[in-house]
Amino acid sequence: MEVLARTGDDVRGTSAEASEVHQGIHASLGPRDVVMKDRMLVKLSYNRSDGLPHPYDEAEARRHPDSEEEDWAEFLVVWRHHHLEIYEDYSIPCKEWIVGTKHLAFIVPLRQGKSRISLYSSVDATFCITCPPTPVRKGKSGQLDPLPSKRSIFHRAPSGTNIFVFKLKSRSRAIDWMWHIWRELGGTIPPSVEVHSPELGSRVKLDIPEIDVNGGEEGYQIFTHDFLVDACRSALRPIRDWELLVERELAKGVKLELCWRRMTRLDWIWLYHDIDGKPRHWAVLWNVAFRQPKNPSHLEIRRAKHASTKVKLKDGTILSEPPSIEGYVYRIKQNTQARSSMYLSSHDGNLYTLQLSRAHPPKPPTPPDAPDEPADSLFDKSRMSEEHRRAAQQILFSDGYIDLRSIYSVRRAESLVAPVEISLDEIPRKIPGVNNIDDDVYEGEIQGTNSDNEDVGGEDGLNRVSDKTRLRLRRMFELVMRSGLVVRFEASVSSYVIRRCLNLRTELSPKAHSCSNAVEWISRLRALISYWTRRHRVDARQEMDIAMAERGRINRKVEGIPDVQANSPYLGDFWNWCIIDGCRPVIRSGRLFAASGVHKQFKHKYHVLTHGHLVQYHITSVKSSHHHRSKIISLIDAYVFSGQLAVTTLPHSVSEGSPYESTPKRYQDGLEAEDSEEDVTFIIWYRPHTSGIPEFTTNEDGQTELMTDSVKMPSLSSPHKVLVLKARSKLERDAWCFALNCEIERIARSTVSRERRMRDAGNIR
């Protein structure tokens, strides 16, 4: 009784004061005041059992196939005091305008003992609330709202459990909802947290106070990024290897970051403020509230690595990423020898083709006598952002691409009439490996002559020589494909060498439309082919090594029990910070099996994620090496979900047991996988918008954001589309979901005004 009677200074630093502080968050709000509201995708299910296990995640949902489900739909979810209100559009036109508000479809009570919240899928940050069926009451009379018969079970069933699965566009916003609801339902902060250092094989245990005596806030709020990093550095500094492995890297500018690790997946912690600029004190410790028994996680401190720009071969040779090249060329047709103008631009192992009107060439180099540009970080960041936008525009409006790995050699034109194709016997089938620099790479010397330097370029150069046909031939170069096809180009007006990965320097070819320009194209393309061919093989090997750490080799006789910690150092390279920081124009690219609807057939397509868009390319036959662009999907108002939620959306997933059966596979690049259909499937739920990258503007708060006034805000019931995608492995699927969610998060934070207007739509107060 004395404990219960404590007041004033007697409760300082105790759980009683922590409870008072937490209750004070909503103390000033009335029962009808709005705590939070957002538009979300919601999937409704009903199970006749009253005792569903907790936590209820996708693994448990797989064990309860008898649940009655509705399809995904977008709702407006409003949190008022001790319940959630889920609104939808009226099915009768103009009724919302007459009534003045949207239709209240469901109510989710938030009462301790009745409702429970769980992390449904850690990959997508979807969360689940289970509660008893709750009727929707209308007005002060308490009369039941008339409901369609198909939904009566969610409101009036005498027993059973309602299952609500929520998916938000923004991952950080979903975590905010989960954390606040968890605290509302009586969630308590654990007394301590452990931070693992995989590089040293050590861990640091930190106690979490119930209350911060100095600040008067709950104790977990002091566990910010800087606090945890400083505490770990102080605790680990006495270890001898810490100075060698970490402190030296920090002196070079490398940063330490925190992440939650689940098996071979890293969930980086990188957003410490919401879109309104308010601090998210739970950004680090939120996961302690949502531990999944069969998908354990722990907090780690790691170096924030970026995508490697070097490839080390087995003979010790190190290949650095060559600068990109782009410029105007003429395509020479084999049959008619006619010329057609186009623009070529290389990005991340691909050579993109564009029409001249959509070329988006770089700005001309700065003249030598021009004043020096300011050397500050803000200016460099602005230049980087501008260059990435330009590169993204090229990819979005390209006609197609050529995979540099499909090019056998780049050579000068030798005959007046270009051969249509060459014999396949002259081309080795094996792709260059990573053993040494001369491993099956056909380079050949560039046959240069003194006349190349004498060519002043353009029409002036042609007028100075008698054999104009021969000079024009010296200005041509050919791409010999591994399929035997030969493609001839003639160097045109100018070419640019872009050093994106180094210092964004733009170099113009010394002589436009000249022999030297053709030699420049040949040398640059050869370097790019040599590097990116090996880069892809190294990345495939790294992905396979990480996957084997989780499940072991497919050939069980070769390797025994998998060791999850065995390839821990590789995880930082695979889950690199280039995706989070957006420091490359191509966020992620690769081949996926895609279907443009749940009833459509899957086709093998190439996908490029860049600047808020997912670009699809047809993969044509082996003979043709040019793959045409097929579709551009804007990720504004898009949702991504995977795993069990994805396969149950497909019409065959419930009737057949195949989505949960593992099938061993081996791919051409050596990647081995043994994952089920559920492990490799993910879906993009989106609404079509006009493609293109909007310009920047300044909102009413003085923040810089994208101009999205031209992007229509869709209603809750407006038509949507679904893109079903399948990766080759679970690790690859997780990487795609991570990249897509990061890009959607970036869009939400660059369109703050639009996000606010969408939340306030519907006149819900």
Side-chain angles (χ1 to χ4, degrees), residues 560-715:
I561 300 175
D563 183 6
V564 179
Q565 300 291 339
N567 288 284
S568 178
Y570 297 105
L571 295 180
D573 296 318
F574 185 81
W575 303 99
N576 60 77
W577 269 69
C578 284
I579 296 176
I580 296 176
D581 289 343
C583 52
R584 297 183 71 97
V586 176
I587 305 300
R588 185 170 180 83
S589 61
R591 298 189 176 192
L592 297 167
F593 295 95
S596 56
V598 295
H599 298 284
K600 300 292 184 177
Q601 184 179 2
F602 282 92
K603 295 181 180 180
H604 203 198
K605 294 187 178 183
Y606 188 81
H607 297 76
V608 178
L609 179 62
T610 177
H611 218 294
H613 295 78
L614 184 66
V615 188
Q616 278 189 334
Y617 295 87
H618 286 296
I619 297 179
T620 55
S621 61
V622 178
K623 198 67 175 179
S624 176
S625 300
H626 185 260
H627 310 290
H628 295 276
R629 175 172 57 84
S630 61
K631 183 185 293 185
I632 301 177
I633 299 174
S634 175
L635 296 179
I636 296 179
D637 300 327
Y639 299 85
V640 179
F641 53 92
S642 62
Q644 187 266 347
L645 292 173
V647 296
T648 54
T649 305
L650 304 179
H652 67 278
S653 59
V654 178
S655 59
E656 300 179 8
S658 58
Y660 312 117
E661 296 178 1
S662 301
T663 304
K665 304 180 186 69
R666 183 180 178 88
Y667 297 92
Q668 184 179 4
D669 58 1
L671 177 65
E672 296 179 354
E674 192 180 9
D675 300 307
S676 64
E677 182 181 351
E678 177 187 350
D679 293 333
V680 300
T681 305
F682 61 103
I683 290 179
I684 301 177
W685 192 100
Y686 69 99
R687 288 192 169 97
H689 289 294
T690 304
S691 302
I693 301 176
E695 299 296 330
F696 284 94
T697 185
T698 303
N699 61 15
E700 62 240 2
D701 298 332
Q703 299 175 340
T704 301
E705 63 177 42
L706 294 176
M707 294 178 60
T708 54
D709 294 336
S710 59
V711 181
K712 182 180 178 181
M713 290 192 299
S715 62

Side-chain angles (χ1 to χ4, degrees), residues 686-758:
Y686 69 99
R687 288 192 169 97
H689 289 294
T690 304
S691 302
I693 301 176
E695 299 296 330
F696 284 94
T697 185
T698 303
N699 61 15
E700 62 240 2
D701 298 332
Q703 299 175 340
T704 301
E705 63 177 42
L706 294 176
M707 294 178 60
T708 54
D709 294 336
S710 59
V711 181
K712 182 180 178 181
M713 290 192 299
S715 62
L716 295 174
S717 57
S718 61
H720 69 277
K721 293 187 177 181
V722 170
L723 180 64
V724 186
L725 300 168
K726 290 185 180 181
R728 299 186 301 175
S729 65
K730 180 180 179 181
L731 184 65
E732 188 178 83
R733 181 210 66 180
D734 292 348
W736 270 104
C737 291
F738 172 66
L740 287 166
N741 284 319
C742 286
E743 196 65 16
I744 293 173
E745 181 79 45
R746 209 166 3 247
I747 294 174
R749 288 177 175 263
S750 60
T751 57
V752 178
S753 299
R754 183 175 185 272
E755 291 295 320
R756 290 172 180 169
R757 292 197 302 270
M758 292 184 68

Side-chain angles (χ1 to χ4, degrees), residues 199-266:
E199 294 173 317
L200 300 180
S202 304
R203 56 187 178 181
V204 178
K205 185 176 182 180
L206 301 173
D207 294 331
I208 303 177
E210 294 182 346
I211 197 71
D212 180 15
V213 179
N214 297 325
E217 302 290 341
E218 291 186 90
Y220 76 88
Q221 296 188 13
I222 67 173
F223 278 69
T224 61
H225 168 272
D226 295 339
F227 174 82
L228 280 173
V229 170
D230 292 342
C232 291
R233 289 183 68 179
S234 300
L236 297 174
R237 189 173 285 114
I239 301 178
R240 197 170 92 184
D241 293 339
W242 177 262
E243 178 69 26
L244 179 64
L245 297 176
V246 180
E247 290 296 337
R248 292 184 181 180
E249 295 294 325
L250 297 182
K252 299 177 182 178
V254 179
K255 296 181 179 179
L256 287 175
E257 298 292 346
L258 301 169
C259 66
W260 286 97
R261 177 178 174 183
R262 292 177 174 85
M263 301 296 286
T264 57
R265 184 166 57 85
L266 300 184

Side-chain angles (χ1 to χ4, degrees), residues 89-97:
D89 288 342
Y90 284 100
S91 58
I92 302 176
C94 300
K95 187 173 181 179
E96 180 179 337
W97 179 77

